[in-house]
């Protein structure tokens, strides 16, 4: 990992207060070493990128506690290691988990057979949550999820760097997960969050 930022403590305090510029600076400084660590341990570029995005999603979601972190690069390394082990364990039972989700979906079929109004309400909730995102996050998220564009292409379209696009999408995912976490629609919202809000490029 690189040497710590000269003003890292201050950046962490700013991050804890929700400052997106501080988050972006930390994101850009540590993305490559976090990704490289994940790649070294997983031997998979795709999985390493997923892990790195999940790490920075976690940093943003738990930003209020970041000012208390003493050695931030050590914190990131431990978080990456733990997340990799957890992800590998999940992959080992991935088929069982996917089957569980599908079974939940089938169980909901009868309940939702005459529930088109409920589905419309859910769809409206999701779209409303997306509309509440900051403009740049919203645009990057829509181009990624709705248009199927890769980060490189979104960066060109929006006139910013690829790392900035990653930052926008990670923050958007964190916000949407929090917004939709307690939605009452059960298995369907679980399915949507699991597949639609997974970190991918």
């Amino acid at each position: 990992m690189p040497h710590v930022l000269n003003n890292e403590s201050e950046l962490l305090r700013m991050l804890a207060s929700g400052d997106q510029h501080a988050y972006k600076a930390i994101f850009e400084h540590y993305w490559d070493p976090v990704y490289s660590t994940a790649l070294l341990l997983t031997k998979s570029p795709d999985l390493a990128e997923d892990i790195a995005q999940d790490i920075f999603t976690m940093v943003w979601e738990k930003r209020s506690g970041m000012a208390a972190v003493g050695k931030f690069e050590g914190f990131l390394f431990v978080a990456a290691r733990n997340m990799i082990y957890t992800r590998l364990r999940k992959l080992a039972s991935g088929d069982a988990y996917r089957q569980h989700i599908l079974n939940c979906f089938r169980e909901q079929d009868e309940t939702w057979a005459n529930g088109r109004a409920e589905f419309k309400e859910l769809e409206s909730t999701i779209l409303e949550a997306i509309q509440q995102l900051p403009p740049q996050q919203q645009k990057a998220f829509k181009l990624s999820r709705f248009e199927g564009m890769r980060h490189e292409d979104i960066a060109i379209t929006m006139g910013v760097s690829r790392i900035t696009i990653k930052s926008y999408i990670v923050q958007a995912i964190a916000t949407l997960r929090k917004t939709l976490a307690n939605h009452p629609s059960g298995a369907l919202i679980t399915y949507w969050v699991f597949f639609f809000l997974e970190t991918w490029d």
Side-chain angles (χ1 to χ4, degrees):
M1 293 217 172
H3 297 298
V4 296
L5 299 172
N6 291 332
N7 59 342
E8 183 175 87
S9 295
E10 177 61 20
L11 282 174
L12 290 175
R13 284 194 290 272
M14 293 168 65
L15 172 63
S17 68
D19 188 303
Q20 292 192 16
H21 295 293
Y23 174 76
K24 182 174 181 288
I26 290 169
F27 186 100
E28 292 181 348
H29 186 74
Y30 282 113
W31 171 267
D32 284 341
V34 169
Y35 171 80
S36 298
T37 297
L39 181 61
L40 180 67
L41 294 175
T42 65
K43 312 300 183 185
S44 167
D46 290 341
L47 183 55
E49 182 147 331
D50 282 350
I51 293 295
Q53 291 200 31
D54 282 348
I55 289 294
F56 285 100
T57 296
M58 178 272 294
V59 168
W60 180 253
E61 289 177 334
K62 298 184 177 181
R63 59 190 178 278
S64 62
M66 289 298 125
V69 176
K71 296 181 179 179
F72 191 66
E73 70 177 45
F75 167 83
L76 290 177
F77 176 81
V78 172
R81 183 195 62 190
N82 292 342
M83 194 170 289
I84 288 165
Y85 291 161
T86 299
R87 182 67 66 89
L88 292 177
R89 283 197 299 268
K90 285 184 177 180
L91 287 176
S93 59
D95 289 340
Y97 183 75
R98 284 191 291 272
Q99 189 59 48
H100 168 70
I101 292 295
L102 290 174
N103 287 341
C104 287
F105 224 73
R106 291 191 189 102
E107 289 173 5
Q108 291 290 322
D109 280 347
E110 292 184 8
T111 303
W112 284 61
N114 298 313
R116 292 183 182 276
E118 292 176 80
F119 183 85
K120 286 293 185 181
E121 181 182 350
L122 171 59
E123 182 180 41
S124 176
T125 298
I126 293 168
L127 294 176
E128 182 178 344
I130 293 172
Q131 291 297 327
Q132 296 304 310
L133 294 171
Q136 291 293 84
Q137 290 182 29
Q138 183 183 145
K139 184 174 181 179
F141 185 85
K142 285 182 175 179
L143 289 174
S144 174
R145 268 46 180 184
F146 295 163
E147 303 296 330
M149 293 175 62
R150 295 183 62 82
H151 291 174
E152 292 88 345
D153 298 325
I154 299 173
I156 293 171
T157 299
M158 294 180 63
V160 297
S161 68
R162 185 175 186 272
I163 201 83
T164 297
I165 294 302
K166 286 179 178 291
S167 175
Y168 287 154
I169 292 176
V170 165
Q171 291 179 77
I173 288 171
T175 300
L176 291 172
R177 280 178 176 166
K178 183 176 180 180
T179 301
L180 300 170
N182 298 316
H183 195 277
S185 296
L188 184 56
I189 197 64
T190 299
Y191 177 92
W192 191 88
V193 170
F194 179 74
F195 285 100
F196 200 64
L197 294 188
E198 277 295 287
T199 50
W200 44 270
D201 182 3

